[in-house]
Amino acid sequence: MPQSSDQTRASSRPFGRRRKHKQKEELRRLILNAAGELFVEAGYNAFSMRELARRVGYAPATLYLYFRDKDDLLFSVVDDAFARFRAELAEAAAGAEDPWECLNRIGEAYVRFGLTQPACYQLMFMWRSDYLNQSMQGEHSPRLAAFQVLVDAVGRAQRLGAVKPGDAGAYSDLMWAAMHGVVALALKVPQFTAERTAELAANMKEALYLALRP
């Protein structure tokens, strides 16, 4: 029996809600990406919601449907970046049975994220860290969760005898510093071409292996 018009409208509502939700998420992602680039270009003080609205092609009032103000937007950009960062590190670590292979994959994912997401990376680690630290409270912070992936991988390597005994957190900090150094040089120093950066990353991995093996 053919559906009535009321039945047709009712059946189309879930699809319409899903489509609307997807459109909202796509716009939110567009705003976050554009905001990250603009924060790096202009700095916090010169950042303009009006300029951001112009870049994404919407009225300024639309931005305030998603974010309360500039601070809320900045923290959302950074927390979203850390959530994606953590997911990429975790994906890299998954399935690697050899502990050093796992650490190598995490290192490669770290550097890859920094080089392919330069605006996000600079906001996360290189831009107004004194200001961004204000939002790092709470044990469920996505920023803390990202580094737990590395700490857990180092701890597992120690239990398997692949990394020497010691403070897993301190060893993780050492690896973090090395990976950050590679990304920072690649982003900020023009002489670090793709080839030179790749060679530096390879030497960094070898140095860490020699420093941390039993």
Side-chain angles (χ1 to χ4, degrees):
M1 185 174 67
Q3 286 186 323
S4 69
S5 58
D6 288 342
Q7 289 174 318
T8 301
R9 283 194 296 271
S11 63
S12 66
R13 284 171 191 158
F15 174 76
R17 284 195 293 268
R18 287 195 300 271
R19 182 173 62 183
K20 189 174 182 179
H21 176 73
K22 181 179 179 181
Q23 290 171 340
K24 281 186 168 182
E25 287 300 307
E26 289 175 348
L27 177 54
R28 186 176 185 276
R29 169 64 52 200
L30 177 65
I31 294 171
L32 288 173
N33 290 343
E37 294 174 357
L38 186 55
F39 271 121
V40 172
E41 291 175 19
Y44 176 79
N45 291 330
F47 181 93
S48 164
M49 295 290 274
R50 186 172 296 278
E51 171 59 19
L52 175 61
R54 187 193 66 78
R55 291 195 180 196
V56 298
Y58 284 84
T62 302
L63 303 183
Y64 293 99
L65 297 175
Y66 292 83
F67 304 98
R68 292 190 307 274
D69 52 29
K70 182 166 64 173
D71 289 355
D72 183 40
L73 180 55
L74 173 59
F75 292 143
S76 295
V77 169
V78 175
D79 284 344
D80 176 76
F82 266 101
R84 289 187 287 123
F85 179 59
R86 187 244 175 235
E88 292 192 20
L89 296 186
E91 182 180 0
E97 294 188 9
D98 179 81
W100 272 106
E101 176 63 21
C102 178
L103 292 171
N104 284 338
R105 289 185 185 183
I106 292 174
E108 290 169 358
Y110 184 111
V111 173
R112 182 169 58 250
F113 182 92
L115 298 184
T116 59
Q117 306 289 331
C120 288
Y121 189 86
Q122 290 179 75
L123 286 175
M124 292 159 68
F125 297 116
M126 302 169 67
W127 189 83
R128 287 300 303 273
S129 59
D130 59 322
Y131 179 76
L132 295 176
N133 282 340
Q134 297 175 26
S135 71
M136 292 183 66
Q137 305 302 316
E139 60 181 345
H140 299 299
S141 167
R143 306 168 194 206
L144 301 178
F147 291 104
Q148 194 60 45
V149 175
L150 179 57
V151 174
D152 289 346
V154 171
R156 174 175 174 267
Q158 288 179 308
R159 291 192 297 274
L160 294 175
V163 168
K164 64 185 181 182
D167 186 339
Y171 293 163
S172 299
D173 287 346
L174 173 63
M175 300 183 76
W176 175 17
M179 293 181 291
H180 174 71
V182 172
V183 175
L185 287 171
L187 293 182
K188 292 298 186 180
V189 181
Q191 289 84 351
F192 273 83
T193 61
E195 292 77 12
R196 186 174 179 181
T197 300
E199 183 177 7
L200 174 62
N203 289 334
M204 176 268 292
K205 288 194 293 185
E206 179 65 19
L208 288 173
Y209 174 73
L210 293 175
L212 297 179
R213 66 181 181 178

